[in-house]
Amino acid sequence: MNTLRSDFQKGRTLLDYFYYWERQQPKKVYLRQPEGDRYRDYTWREVGKQARVLATYLNSLGLPPKSNIGLLSKNCAHWIIADLAILLSGHVSVPFYPTLTAGQLRQVLDHSDCSVLFVGKLDKWPEMKAGVSPHIHRITFPPQTGETMPPDPDATPWNDILEHYEPMTDNPQPHSEDLFTIIYTSGTTGSPKGVKMPYRAMISAIDATLPQMRVNVPDPRFFSYLPLCHVAERNLVEALSLITGGTVYFVESMATFARNLAAARPTHFLGVPRIWLKFQQNILKKIPQEKLDRLLKIPLVSSLIKRRLRMALGLNNARLILTGAAPTPIPIIQWFRQLGIHIQEAYGMTENLGVVSVMPAHAIKDGTVGLPYPGIQLRFDPLTSELLTRSDWTMRGYFREPDMTATTLDTDGWLHTGDVGSLDEDGYLTITGRVKEIYKTTKGEYVAPAEIETGFAENNYVDQICVAVQELPQPIALIVLSETGMQADKEDVSQSLEETLRSLNPQLHTYQRVKKAVIVKDPWTVDNDMMTPSLKIRRKIIESRYQPHLQPWLERDETVIWEG
């Protein structure tokens, strides 16, 4: 059992934690990379050796001190090893989303001024490669089993570096004000922004959040599948595994997700709304809701069903189950709670390291995002109710964007989050939408689409939803059907959506009521740019895609419309 020393929990960098576990448990497996039915295991000693050799190589390149070094790969063991190598070499880690197009990659590489780029597990590297300038030195990860990515003759192979360089032997200690990383946001609106985070910010965030993170559970295990370049995954998987000395299991592909998760049986798990919806739909395909309700009313059977479902998902050993990145509908959280899966909502943004509030495990208050962490201050704009935060882990600013920084971070250190919210009498935080996503109808009324969208959460035929408001007299719900919905009778789907609208609309103001539900043909994905890599919808792009059809749909007689 790894138990974190009580005298080791304050004021330490992630490198300090790494040095500790590298020395304390060198033979214990740290990273587990699936390769078909087998795993390639990396012990703390092996991770340390490879990271230290790569750090030696980076230092041999003669780069200016504290250079920005890029990291482009899907989640895998080498991602974390490369990240550690960058930190060990004294440079700044700049990870990018592995789903970028060539043009998007060129934009962030040019903006970040990266001189070196680690290139790893990618689906479309030949196309993406066009976005990398010739002057950027590339280092390629070793190929993995079953990988189709062709070798890059212009890059330096990882394994060649391991063969020809020696590991660094010292343990560098960065200054607290040095930059630890630049995190590029996923660009829900506009171009991605490079959030500058110093080591001090990460140290402060760790110290504030550790009491809530169940760091002393026996044999901590983590499951990595959301993009590691996103602040939430980097915190819960990379940072927390370094802090606890735990083991990280990776997903091989989304096709093997269920099998990989069941094998990992993580003690700490982070889901996003789309994942929880998929879990629910898969369960209901095997046990329809009516049958599940009956079984859960029988005491002995109920316990057995809950245990088997948690086992089937791979969450039977989970001690901390978080949801974040986007609001998770209350009915989904309550549904899982009936199965003994207690999901704690967490809230934050890249600009404050994702650390604002978390739902207490034993004092859950549905409809809120929990209580603020110790050390963070909150206040609200008196006119717009925009949430402002201030803490020791607030970003230093946006890289090479002084005007944008001045707009978001005021001279008193208050971060303007862009989220609308409030605190209740018990100190719980509620987020109701985005300042920029409150739209005016043609009748002059303001509507927050996100609030309306949660009303469709209990309809199992709905997979994705975007309520369109702008330049319309009444909202329209654009809907992508779930797998269950696609297999159901068309008339049943229409009737179900009509029932949802009849139930939802009376709870809304007249100007908020959804006039039509339109079932669109094509799903919204990262590949078609309708979703961010962190699986949030890109509202403006979706509305733009359907804008020519919105008014004609609104004028049709039927309530539920099928595109095409």
Side-chain angles (χ1 to χ4, degrees), residues 469-534:
V469 177
Q470 208 163 13
E471 298 179 10
L472 294 171
Q474 290 290 139
I476 288 180
L478 304 173
I479 292 169
V480 174
L481 291 180
S482 65
E483 187 176 341
T484 303
M486 288 187 284
Q487 294 174 353
D489 180 79
K490 190 173 179 179
E491 190 62 37
D492 290 343
V493 173
S494 295
Q495 185 177 338
S496 175
L497 287 172
E498 287 175 1
E499 289 174 1
T500 296
L501 291 178
R502 282 196 294 269
S503 172
L504 172 64
N505 278 335
Q507 304 174 44
L508 303 173
H509 293 294
T510 305
Y511 57 85
Q512 293 177 308
R513 292 175 182 171
V514 178
K515 187 76 171 176
K516 306 288 180 183
V518 179
I519 298 165
V520 300
K521 290 187 296 185
D522 300 320
W524 306 325
T525 66
V526 175
D527 287 340
N528 64 23
D529 208 31
M530 301 289 189
M531 296 190 81
T532 71
S534 56

Side-chain angles (χ1 to χ4, degrees), residues 206-223:
I206 289 170
D207 291 346
T209 58
L210 274 188
Q212 300 273 13
M213 294 296 108
R214 316 280 175 86
V215 292
N216 282 325
V217 301
D219 187 25
R221 296 187 305 285
F222 305 86
F223 183 63

Side-chain angles (χ1 to χ4, degrees), residues 4 17 35 53 88 92 98 111 141 166 182 189 290 307 312 326 361 392 411 428 447 458 465 475 516:
L4 203 61
Y17 287 105
E35 297 178 347
V53 170
L88 284 165
V92 180
H111 187 273
F141 289 6
E166 294 297 320
I182 298 174
T189 56
E290 289 183 6
R307 186 163 61 250
D392 289 338
T411 54
Y428 283 74
V447 175
E458 293 186 79
I465 182 166
K516 306 288 180 183

Side-chain angles (χ1 to χ4, degrees), residues 28-33 35 40-47 50 77-78 81 142:
K28 183 180 183 294
V29 173
Y30 175 29
L31 307 176
R32 302 205 74 197
Q33 182 66 46
E35 297 178 347
R40 167 73 165 93
D41 290 342
Y42 298 82
T43 63
W44 285 89
R45 175 184 290 157
E46 179 65 20
V47 169
Q50 292 199 25
H78 296 99
I81 297 172

Side-chain angles (χ1 to χ4, degrees), residues 35-289:
E35 297 178 347
D37 294 329
R38 305 172 62 185
Y39 279 89
R40 167 73 165 93
D41 290 342
Y42 298 82
T43 63
W44 285 89
R45 175 184 290 157
E46 179 65 20
V47 169
K49 179 182 177 182
Q50 292 199 25
R52 290 172 179 277
V53 170
L54 289 160
T56 298
Y57 176 73
L58 291 174
N59 287 332
S60 76
L61 297 177
L63 304 173
K66 304 172 187 176
S67 292
N68 295 339
I69 296 182
L71 177 48
L72 180 69
S73 174
K74 293 195 287 187
N75 298 15
C76 60
H78 296 99
W79 198 106
I80 289 181
I81 297 172
D83 202 34
L84 287 169
I86 295 169
L87 303 185
L88 284 165
S89 65
H91 296 303
V92 180
S93 173
V94 189
F96 302 116
Y97 283 98
T99 52
L100 298 175
T101 64
Q104 292 167 338
L105 180 58
R106 181 182 298 109
Q107 178 189 8
V108 290
L109 280 173
D110 290 347
H111 187 273
S112 63
D113 198 24
C114 283
S115 50
V116 177
L117 177 67
F118 280 93
V119 178
K121 185 179 178 182
L122 298 166
D123 291 331
K124 299 179 180 179
W125 172 238
E127 294 94 327
M128 297 173 73
K129 185 178 175 182
V132 184
S133 300
H135 73 272
I136 296 177
H137 183 82
R138 297 192 297 277
I139 301 168
T140 51
F141 289 6
Q144 297 185 19
T145 302
E147 190 171 286
T148 58
M149 189 173 127
D152 185 348
D154 301 319
T156 302
W158 180 292
N159 286 339
D160 284 6
I161 296 171
L162 297 185
E163 288 179 13
H164 295 99
Y165 290 83
E166 294 297 320
M168 67 187 308
T169 55
D170 58 331
N171 292 342
Q173 293 292 335
H175 189 276
S176 64
E177 294 304 320
D178 289 344
L179 269 192
F180 153 64
T181 188
I182 298 174
I183 307 173
Y184 275 84
T185 61
S186 56
T188 309
T189 56
S191 300
K193 303 178 288 289
V195 175
K196 297 189 294 183
M197 282 295 175
Y199 280 90
R200 170 185 50 76
M202 180 58 82
I203 292 168
S204 300
I206 289 170
D207 291 346
T209 58
L210 274 188
Q212 300 273 13
M213 294 296 108
R214 316 280 175 86
V215 292
N216 282 325
V217 301
D219 187 25
R221 296 187 305 285
F222 305 86
F223 183 63
S224 183
Y225 70 100
L226 294 170
L228 267 166
C229 55
H230 188 275
V231 68
E233 183 84 351
R234 207 160 176 210
N235 284 351
L236 191 78
V237 172
E238 184 184 29
L240 207 52
S241 68
L242 287 168
I243 291 165
T244 61
T247 302
V248 179
Y249 291 70
F250 294 90
V251 68
E252 186 171 23
S253 69
M254 292 316 290
T256 64
F257 178 95
R259 186 176 77 223
N260 296 154
L261 177 56
R265 307 223 169 267
T267 56
H268 297 68
F269 181 77
L270 170 66
V272 294
R274 190 156 168 74
I275 291 296
W276 295 117
L277 182 61
K278 290 291 186 186
F279 284 170
Q280 183 192 47
Q281 290 171 352
N282 288 338
I283 290 171
L284 292 177
K285 276 197 297 186
K286 297 176 182 177
I287 310 177
Q289 187 67 60

Side-chain angles (χ1 to χ4, degrees), residues 169-448:
T169 55
D170 58 331
N171 292 342
Q173 293 292 335
H175 189 276
S176 64
E177 294 304 320
D178 289 344
L179 269 192
F180 153 64
T181 188
I182 298 174
I183 307 173
Y184 275 84
T185 61
S186 56
T188 309
T189 56
S191 300
K193 303 178 288 289
V195 175
K196 297 189 294 183
M197 282 295 175
Y199 280 90
R200 170 185 50 76
M202 180 58 82
I203 292 168
S204 300
I206 289 170
D207 291 346
T209 58
L210 274 188
Q212 300 273 13
M213 294 296 108
R214 316 280 175 86
V215 292
N216 282 325
V217 301
D219 187 25
R221 296 187 305 285
F222 305 86
F223 183 63
S224 183
Y225 70 100
L226 294 170
L228 267 166
C229 55
H230 188 275
V231 68
E233 183 84 351
R234 207 160 176 210
N235 284 351
L236 191 78
V237 172
E238 184 184 29
L240 207 52
S241 68
L242 287 168
I243 291 165
T244 61
T247 302
V248 179
Y249 291 70
F250 294 90
V251 68
E252 186 171 23
S253 69
M254 292 316 290
T256 64
F257 178 95
R259 186 176 77 223
N260 296 154
L261 177 56
R265 307 223 169 267
T267 56
H268 297 68
F269 181 77
L270 170 66
V272 294
R274 190 156 168 74
I275 291 296
W276 295 117
L277 182 61
K278 290 291 186 186
F279 284 170
Q280 183 192 47
Q281 290 171 352
N282 288 338
I283 290 171
L284 292 177
K285 276 197 297 186
K286 297 176 182 177
I287 310 177
Q289 187 67 60
E290 289 183 6
K291 182 179 179 180
L292 183 60
D293 289 340
R294 288 198 307 269
L295 294 174
L296 292 177
K297 290 176 182 177
I298 307 170
L300 291 178
V301 176
S302 176
S303 298
L304 180 62
I305 287 291
K306 291 176 183 178
R307 186 163 61 250
R308 285 186 174 176
L309 289 176
R310 291 196 299 268
M311 284 279 292
L313 289 176
L315 297 179
N316 53 300
N317 291 330
R319 298 296 176 266
L320 179 69
I321 303 177
L322 297 178
T323 186
T328 301
I330 299 170
I332 297 289
I333 293 175
Q334 293 173 337
W335 190 89
F336 278 100
R337 195 181 301 151
Q338 289 183 313
L339 302 182
I341 296 173
H342 297 274
I343 302 171
Q344 295 171 244
E345 189 135 18
Y347 165 73
M349 56 195 300
T350 307
E351 288 84 346
N352 49 36
L353 273 175
V355 177
V356 175
S357 67
V358 69
M359 189 69 70
H362 303 295
I364 290 174
K365 197 167 190 178
D366 289 330
T368 76
V369 290
L371 295 172
Y373 285 102
I376 192 163
Q377 298 172 269
L378 308 183
R379 78 178 193 191
F380 299 90
D381 185 285
L383 294 177
T384 64
S385 296
E386 179 185 10
L387 170 65
L388 281 63
T389 72
R390 185 165 66 179
S391 66
D392 289 338
W393 52 87
T394 300
M395 70 169 180
R396 184 177 292 172
Y398 295 119
F399 185 65
R400 295 174 62 181
E401 298 289 351
D403 293 340
M404 199 178 295
T405 298
T407 301
T408 306
L409 193 61
D410 67 30
T411 54
D412 293 324
W414 288 99
L415 176 71
H416 295 243
T417 67
D419 287 326
V420 177
S422 61
L423 280 178
D424 68 15
E425 66 279 3
D426 298 316
Y428 283 74
L429 176 63
T430 299
I431 300 296
T432 55
R434 295 282 295 168
V435 173
K436 292 181 179 178
E437 290 187 356
I438 297 178
Y439 301 115
K440 184 187 286 188
T441 69
T442 55
K443 296 177 181 177
E445 303 285 0
Y446 287 95
V447 175

